[in-house]
Structure formats: C-alpha cells, structure tokens
Amino acid sequence: VEYIPRAFSQEIPIFFVSSSLSNLIFGLGDIMKIILVRHGEAENPSPSISDQSRTLTPKGDDDIHKIGRFIKSSSLKVNHLFFSPYTRTKQTAEILSKELEYQGEMISAEELACGNGCSDIISCLVQFGNSDTVLLVGHNPDITYFAAQLLG
C-alpha cells in the first residue's frame, strides 16, 4: 500500500493498494491494483438534509479534480469504478470519471456505504482480472480500515 498523506487536502486520504499482499488474504490476483479514495469535503450536516444527500463543497470539488489529475498522470488505467450510494461519493466518482476519461460503468455499491466497513466489496472484486485497476470511492473511517484490512 502506498498512502499519499494529505496529498491534496487534510480531509481526503488516498491509498494505492497492490494486491500482491491482498492476494494472499483474499485471492484477488497477483497484480490487481485497488485505488481507495474518500469522497471530497462535503457540506456540514444539517437537520434539513439527510446524511445521504449531503453534497460536495466547492473545495471538495476542487480537491477531487486534483486527485483525478494525479491518478491520470500515474501509470494506472482504471478499469472499474465503484462508489457508495451517497450523493457526495457519487459526485466524487463522477468528477474522477471525467478527469480519468473513464468510459466504463460507474457502479453504486451498498458495500461502500457509510458504516458498512467496505470489506464486503471483495465479493465484487474477485470477478476481475489480474491486470485490472479498480477505483473505490467511500467514507472514512471505513475506507481507511479497509486499506488496513487489505494489508493484513
């Protein structure tokens, strides 16, 4: 795992996970790459809006564009993109998709919803090939715990 600490914002951790370690634990394949991204900064919680409906702030939007450009400048080409069904993660996935010129389907995954721990997404990942790169957009602390779980 390569952790890019506070690369773009104090709010958004990014993890690049090569599955050579996770292969031993989950059987994902020798070189599958998993990119874990927390959604961009979102508007503050409010009694008038549900947590699931909170949207990105302008800063969050800008930060995610930067992350997308950073990933695009790497050698990685995203083959699959999953996001939590919350508005802010969908917006994050849409921005990343645009920046990466991703042509595939963006898949809403309940496994990545806030509080679900992310580990159930493994059942979706085992269907992909050894050379695939998967981008997962979720929430903290779940996405951070998931990165730790992939490391064993």
Side-chain angles (χ1 to χ4, degrees), residues 28 32 80 82 107-112 118-129 132 134 136:
L28 292 177
M32 178 186 286
H80 308 283
F82 293 85
I107 300 171
S108 176
E110 189 65 36
E111 296 88 346
L112 296 173
C118 301
S119 60
D120 289 342
I121 197 73
I122 294 295
S123 63
C124 297
L125 302 182
V126 295
Q127 66 183 310
F128 301 129
D132 285 337
V134 181
L136 304 177

Side-chain angles (χ1 to χ4, degrees), residues 5-103:
R6 304 189 193 324
F8 304 98
S9 166
Q10 292 185 4
E11 297 291 317
I12 306 171
I14 302 175
F15 299 90
F16 291 98
V17 179
S18 171
S19 72
S20 57
L21 291 174
S22 55
N23 181 46
L24 299 174
I25 303 165
F26 299 111
L28 292 177
D30 292 332
I31 57 172
M32 178 186 286
K33 287 144 311 276
I34 303 169
I35 304 170
L36 306 175
V37 178
R38 179 204 180 255
H39 61 79
E41 178 184 272
E43 60 189 348
N44 290 326
S46 160
S48 63
I49 188 167
S50 71
D51 185 44
Q52 292 85 351
S53 300
R54 291 172 46 218
T55 60
L56 296 180
T57 64
K59 181 185 181 323
D61 188 277
D62 289 344
D63 286 344
I64 297 303
H65 278 283
K66 290 175 188 173
I67 290 169
R69 289 190 295 270
F70 176 77
I71 295 169
K72 186 174 182 175
S73 72
S74 75
S75 62
L76 300 174
K77 181 177 178 350
V78 173
N79 307 103
H80 308 283
L81 194 159
F82 293 85
F83 62 94
S84 156
Y86 287 35
T87 301
R88 60 192 178 271
T89 52
K90 182 177 182 183
Q91 290 175 315
T92 299
E94 289 169 344
I95 293 167
L96 291 171
S97 178
K98 180 180 176 183
E99 288 291 342
L100 298 171
E101 300 175 13
Y102 175 72
Q103 299 296 311

